[in-house]
Amino acid sequence: MTDALPHFALALPEIALAVGALTLILIGAIVGDKATSLINGLAVALIALAGVLVAVAPVDHGPSFGGGFTADAFARFMKILAYVAAVAALSLSFDYMRREKFARYEYAVLVVLSTLGMSLMISASDLISLYLGLELQSLALYVIAAIHRDDIRSTEAGLKYFVLGALSSGMLLYGASLVYGTTGAVGFADIAAALKDGHASLGLVFGIVFLLAGFAFKISAVPFHMWTPDVYEGAPTPITAFFASAAKVAAVAMFVRVVTEAFPTVTQEWRQVVVFVAIASMALGAFAAIGQRNLKRLMAYSSIGHMGYVLVGLAAGTPEGVRGVAVYSAIYVAMTLGAFACILSMRVGDKYVESIDDLAGLSRTKPAMAFVLAMILFSLAGIPPLAGFFAKFYVFYAAVNAGLYPLAVIGFVLSVVGAFYYLRIVKIIYFDEPTVEFAPMTGAAKVVLTLAGGFTLLYFIYPAPLTAAAATAAQSLF
């Protein structure tokens, strides 16, 4: 029993989320929808508590629970990011759901369960625990996407996500079985030990390809991106924000941990796949978003492009590259949450609008919101000295140092192309005539927009804490 106690101390955040989710279900089952506001508040507090527990929990570099769970510095960094994103997205959703008249206590419970799945994914150190965490997260997300049952778009989004998500899970599971069949191990450290000679059999290569295909779906990278625009547009906006921030962080963490811990000696085999997916994602994100008129759909293509830039850092296969991925993930979460706080503030009366044209003349009707949104858009485009520039700088720098010069050059060129559609929105905000005037922002949207905008604007003044934490996180994987 005493031997198990340190293990449970490492998993305190997950235990808190699991027990808390069961408690919230019990409260909802007894009280019903009258308890929705209480459960919403408790869910936010529960995820915040999990974040505090992660920050103060001991950092252990060895696997626990029979080799299936790791609480290292990388897990701490990515979990805190995921929890922050989950709290922000959940806070943004309460007013929206009340106005759209589909507030249900199950929603907050599902977000907590999904966050628990993300936490387990980030700390997974073998293929079995990885798959269990992934499915716990995914099953909750399928329901969340379709939770607005009276809206045909939301129902369609949930169904599409479920069908394609099930396909990707099958591919990932098949890849995991091939890796197990060729190495005789499921633990990442054991797989790496079995491959210490650097020889990759044909079966292993196929296993890696199928594994990476499943990961690419979860981060919505090309060619497994097809669900993203429809789900982002169809799902309720705060749920889209949750998909675009917290879920992406967990999927990126899972991707990074598997390739760096399980396949460090066969880097060339997985690097080829990662480089192709990165270039294809950056290219699609740059060109496909140009013709979009719906903001949520544009953010979907933007997300696909940014996942391509994240993979540029991963392709380097070095601690420096993983540091770039971690920094990029943190900055991406801030920019995405800020953008969605603005989209959720596009309300005329009680009607939410999503068209880019509805932002016309925003600088005259809401100058503060227009300024922060413009800065976030400039940051998404990678314009210095905003945070988005440094995010791209770190991943390109790692790629150059790893000798991947063509990848870095292609990424830079596509970044310039992608800047067009962000700058077009800024032009509409500042130079077009106003067509509508939005209602006042909610308190949650103001807080999220202020924090995200402030981080994006002022990051360059003192970047050291984030980069140091990211470097420590990256080093723990090597």
Side-chain angles (χ1 to χ4, degrees), residues 193-216:
L195 300 174
K196 62 184 176 182
D197 59 356
H199 173 69
S201 65
L202 185 62
L204 178 70
V205 171
F206 271 101
I208 292 173
V209 169
F210 276 102
L211 266 180
L212 298 191
F215 297 157

Side-chain angles (χ1 to χ4, degrees), residues 53-124:
L53 290 174
V54 167
V56 301
V59 175
D60 181 76
H61 291 278
S64 307
F65 295 102
F69 185 91
T70 298
D72 56 11
F74 181 76
R76 170 184 285 180
F77 185 93
M78 300 304 275
K79 280 182 192 177
I80 290 174
L81 263 189
Y83 294 158
V84 167
V87 166
L90 195 55
S91 301
L92 287 171
S93 64
F94 300 147
D95 184 73
Y96 179 94
M97 298 183 81
R98 180 178 57 80
R99 291 180 185 278
E100 292 290 296
K101 298 180 174 59
F102 69 100
R104 297 185 181 90
Y105 76 85
E106 294 96 334
Y107 168 68
V109 177
L110 287 166
V111 169
V112 172
L113 288 171
S114 179
T115 306
L116 171 60
M118 293 173 197
S119 197
L120 292 172
M121 280 166 56
I122 292 169
S123 278

